[in-house]
Amino acid sequence: MSEKNLVINLNKPEGMSSQQAVTRVKHIFAAKKAGHAGTLDPIATGILLVCVDEATKITRFLAETDKEYVAVMKLGERTDTFDSEGQVIKKVENFELEEDKIATVLERFKGTIKQTPPMYSAIKVSGQPLYKLARKGIEIERPDRNVNIYKLDIISFTAPFLEIRVLCSKGTYIRSLCDDIGTALDVGAHIVALKRTKIGDFRIEDSAELGELPDKKESVCSIDKAIKYLKEIVLTPDDFLKAINGAPIAPGELSDLPLNSYLRLKNPEGKLFAIGKVTRCESRPTGPAIKIERLLNVLPNK
């Protein structure tokens, strides 16, 4: 495997920001550029997908996949940041909760739910991250968003600590989920530990600590392997030339693909060179076509 254009399955340590972790990986691989596919808070650990060089062009496609987390929450205390770094704003002492009641409440949060992003988040409003406003004591309205909670299970419960496993869609804030669960239990709660254990097909078991890079090969993969969940199409020589010159193409495999879906486009030799998007275009009004969404500078020059 080439040492460039890679995706690294990093097990981010606690106390390090996502950007600090990216900078370390960039240095280890002597990359020209690097980015990550989904922020982890400094107190969180687990999978941080770091993309180097041309792989930075696929971060959005990795970030859109489902994720799994293991969270430990402390019941009986609610904080303004929804985690252990914030100020306690509600405290309930001497409460009693049975695991059966907790399990019943968790059922309410399975499926498609509405979630309000926390003020202490990186979401930008008018170019300003929400957490910067929150640090100034400013709170603004945030629109609810729909997220999907596919699984929500109790791992262990020893009062006041509840450990849960969550499988969810992109855009889910686990801090907000735990805060909402604490409110539903009438005792409040906040996160004290969080680990991301899965992103798409990437597993925590295959991740690497910073000190294990670049030698732990199972934690490093190509762009093609990283987005293997996208359907691939190998183009004919004619379609390949059209595509790299910016023209829409319409291979026969398009009939069963929905509009706005993405594909791995490969040259006639089967090498990935771009991510395509199924779309409609004026030059082909009778049906869908493919246009390049991201051109990857990965093919050898001839």
Side-chain angles (χ1 to χ4, degrees):
M1 182 187 299
S2 168
E3 293 186 358
K4 296 185 181 296
N5 310 321
L6 300 173
V7 176
I8 295 91
N9 181 359
L10 176 70
N11 186 354
K12 187 190 80 68
E14 185 177 359
M16 180 179 289
S17 72
S18 294
Q19 190 53 51
Q20 288 171 332
V22 167
T23 299
R24 293 281 298 276
V25 173
K26 180 182 177 182
H27 177 73
I28 290 170
F29 285 86
K32 293 181 179 179
K33 55 185 177 179
H36 63 77
T39 302
L40 277 179
D41 293 335
I43 69 167
T45 64
I47 295 178
L48 182 73
L49 296 183
V50 181
C51 302
V52 298
D53 291 333
E54 282 298 288
T56 56
K57 293 180 179 178
I58 69 164
T59 54
R60 59 175 282 204
F61 302 101
L62 297 173
E64 288 176 353
T65 57
D66 296 334
K67 299 169 180 65
E68 182 186 76
Y69 297 87
V70 171
V72 179
M73 48 199 290
K74 183 178 182 182
L75 303 177
E77 292 181 357
R78 187 184 188 218
T79 71
D80 57 356
T81 59
F82 303 168
D83 61 30
S84 56
E85 295 190 328
Q87 298 294 317
V88 175
I89 56 176
K90 176 183 178 179
K91 191 165 187 175
V92 177
E93 297 179 341
N94 302 319
F95 64 86
E96 293 185 7
L97 281 174
E98 298 295 330
E99 189 169 316
D100 288 347
K101 179 181 178 181
I102 295 173
T104 299
V105 168
L106 293 187
E107 286 295 322
R108 302 184 206 167
F109 293 91
K110 294 180 180 179
T112 301
I113 64 171
K114 289 189 178 298
Q115 190 177 73
T116 304
M119 276 301 301
Y120 284 88
S121 67
I123 293 176
K124 291 183 178 180
V125 175
S126 301
Q128 180 98 329
L130 287 178
Y131 68 84
K132 289 189 176 181
L133 296 176
R135 287 171 181 169
K136 297 176 182 177
I138 301 171
E139 182 166 350
I140 63 173
E141 290 290 325
R142 289 97 63 204
D144 290 341
R145 58 170 68 177
N146 288 330
V147 297
N148 293 311
I149 308 296
Y150 306 112
K151 290 184 180 180
L152 179 56
D153 302 318
I154 296 174
I155 297 175
S156 65
F157 174 54
T158 304
F161 297 104
L162 172 65
E163 186 177 16
I164 59 174
R165 178 176 286 106
V166 186
L167 180 62
C168 57
S169 65
K170 66 171 185 175
T172 303
Y173 281 94
I174 305 302
R175 283 184 295 138
S176 292
L177 177 65
C178 291
D179 180 73
D180 290 340
I181 290 170
T183 298
L185 289 168
D186 294 323
V187 297
H190 68 274
I191 277 187
V192 295
L194 180 66
K195 176 182 282 190
R196 186 155 62 195
T197 53
K198 196 173 181 182
I199 298 180
D201 293 327
F202 291 89
R203 308 179 310 154
I204 191 69
E205 294 86 353
D206 301 321
S207 66
E209 309 284 343
L210 281 167
E212 296 176 308
L213 293 173
D215 298 324
K216 191 172 182 180
K217 301 304 181 185
E218 63 264 39
S219 69
V220 180
C221 72
S222 66
I223 297 174
D224 195 15
K225 183 178 178 181
I227 54 173
K228 65 182 180 180
Y229 73 94
L230 296 178
K231 179 181 174 64
E232 72 169 44
I233 292 183
V234 179
L235 302 185
T236 64
D238 285 346
D239 278 345
F240 173 63
L241 288 174
K242 290 178 183 177
I244 61 175
N245 285 296
I249 57 174
E253 297 97 323
L254 286 185
S255 58
D256 61 341
L257 296 175
L259 287 175
N260 301 318
S261 59
Y262 295 99
L263 309 162
R264 285 177 294 149
L265 298 184
K266 298 193 171 181
N267 70 359
E269 288 75 41
K271 302 295 185 182
L272 179 73
F273 74 94
I275 297 171
K277 183 177 183 180
V278 181
T279 184
R280 295 195 184 278
C281 57
E282 294 180 359
S283 61
R284 194 174 185 275
T286 58
I290 299 174
K291 294 195 73 173
I292 289 179
E293 181 78 4
R294 287 286 187 276
L295 183 62
L296 305 170
N297 185 25
V298 294
L299 297 181
N301 294 323
K302 293 185 178 181

